[in-house]
Amino acid sequence: MVKWSFSGLKDFTNCPRQYHEVKVKKNYIKKVTDQMLYGTTVHTALEDYVRDGKPLAKNYERFKNVLDVLIDIKGKKLPECKLALTIDKTPCNFNAPEYWVRGIVDLLIIDGDSAFIVDYKTGSAKYPDQKQLKLMALMTFAHFPEVVNIKAGLLFVAHNTFIPEYYERDKSDKLWDAFKGDLERLRMSFENDKWPANPTGLCGWCPVNTCEFHKEK
């Protein structure tokens, strides 16, 4: 059984060789960029404000209005909600040895048979990827059997932009289809120990400097 997360599967689809060297063999470590540090800091600030009412730092006060809208949404607030499923897609503890897939919802709100999922983004809204929302919705359906519909969205906090999605429990099989192809390719790579490189313009930022496509920025 190959364990996975949305970010790990995305790393694999971007470049199987980098995924293998970094996540499987652990021969290299991805450099933490200033952009990544900023994203982590902002996520923590937003979580603390929504969960505990902790005042936002001065440079994050511009996010207050949109966060107050989320706080006003009816329902139980679950910031940084950790969810995991076993291979048969049943709920399990996030750190259970039998987990198959897991992820963290930035903000999950449960209100009876409805739920609201928000994924905070600190970068550009130019190329939104809603696929992560699908996975978070599927895990929410599994963990909260009373939920039959989910409103979800990517919240680009720096741009005050919200890109919505809507999911229904009875369409779960179709949602899982979005991951089948990539998961099958991931399984085959492990089974055959084949990890081809996928050269792109991002090779200059890759930590795998032994790859023939590696180039200095």
Side-chain angles (χ1 to χ4, degrees):
M1 179 182 70
V2 178
K3 297 179 183 292
W4 65 287
S5 66
F6 176 78
S7 61
L9 188 61
K10 189 170 184 178
D11 284 346
F12 170 78
T13 58
N14 286 341
C15 183
R17 182 173 297 176
Q18 185 195 83
Y19 171 90
H20 186 241
E21 291 287 349
V22 174
K23 289 188 174 293
V24 181
K25 297 181 71 176
K26 302 187 186 303
N27 288 333
Y28 302 89
I29 298 175
K30 273 190 174 182
K31 181 182 178 182
V32 178
T33 65
D34 290 342
Q35 184 179 18
M36 292 165 64
L37 285 173
Y38 174 74
T40 300
T41 303
V42 170
H43 273 70
T44 300
L46 303 187
E47 177 191 355
D48 289 346
Y49 181 77
V50 172
R51 184 190 60 223
D52 305 320
K54 181 179 178 180
L56 294 164
K58 188 174 182 62
N59 54 326
Y60 300 146
E61 286 179 352
R62 65 187 186 278
F63 306 143
K64 183 178 184 301
N65 288 342
V66 69
L67 293 178
D68 286 342
V69 171
L70 298 179
I71 291 172
D72 286 342
I73 295 174
K74 182 183 175 183
K76 182 179 180 180
K77 312 294 189 303
L78 300 170
E80 290 292 296
C81 184
K82 296 181 177 181
L83 303 174
L85 303 178
T86 62
I87 186 67
D88 60 359
K89 299 173 184 173
T90 59
C92 66
N93 185 278
F94 189 80
N95 294 312
E98 69 270 22
Y99 93 85
W100 171 59
V101 58
R102 64 184 183 182
I104 302 175
V105 182
D106 288 340
L107 177 60
L108 175 61
I109 303 174
I110 302 295
D111 182 27
D113 64 357
S114 299
F116 194 81
I117 289 173
V118 180
D119 188 55
Y120 304 132
K121 298 297 182 184
T122 54
S124 169
K126 190 174 182 180
Y127 301 108
D129 182 0
Q130 293 101 316
K131 200 170 182 179
Q132 184 175 10
L133 295 175
K134 288 182 172 65
L135 180 59
M136 296 301 104
L138 286 163
M139 290 199 285
T140 297
F141 284 136
H143 278 264
F144 299 90
E146 72 275 19
V147 171
V148 297
N149 60 79
I150 297 173
K151 294 179 181 178
L154 303 175
L155 177 58
F156 292 87
V157 292
H159 304 279
N160 197 25
T161 299
F162 187 78
I163 298 177
E165 289 277 289
Y166 180 77
Y167 306 112
E168 297 173 327
R169 176 179 289 276
D170 60 6
K171 294 183 174 62
S172 292
D173 288 344
K174 187 174 181 180
L175 293 178
W176 278 116
D177 286 344
F179 302 96
K180 282 184 177 179
D182 290 338
L183 288 174
E184 177 61 14
R185 285 187 285 275
L186 178 62
R187 186 189 68 79
M188 292 296 291
S189 281
F190 272 102
E191 186 174 300
N192 300 308
D193 196 25
K194 300 293 184 183
W195 308 93
N198 179 35
T200 69
L202 297 176
C203 288
W205 284 264
C206 180
V208 186
N209 55 22
T210 54
C211 175
E212 66 269 30
F213 299 107
H214 182 269
K215 54 186 177 183
E216 296 297 332
K217 296 190 296 292

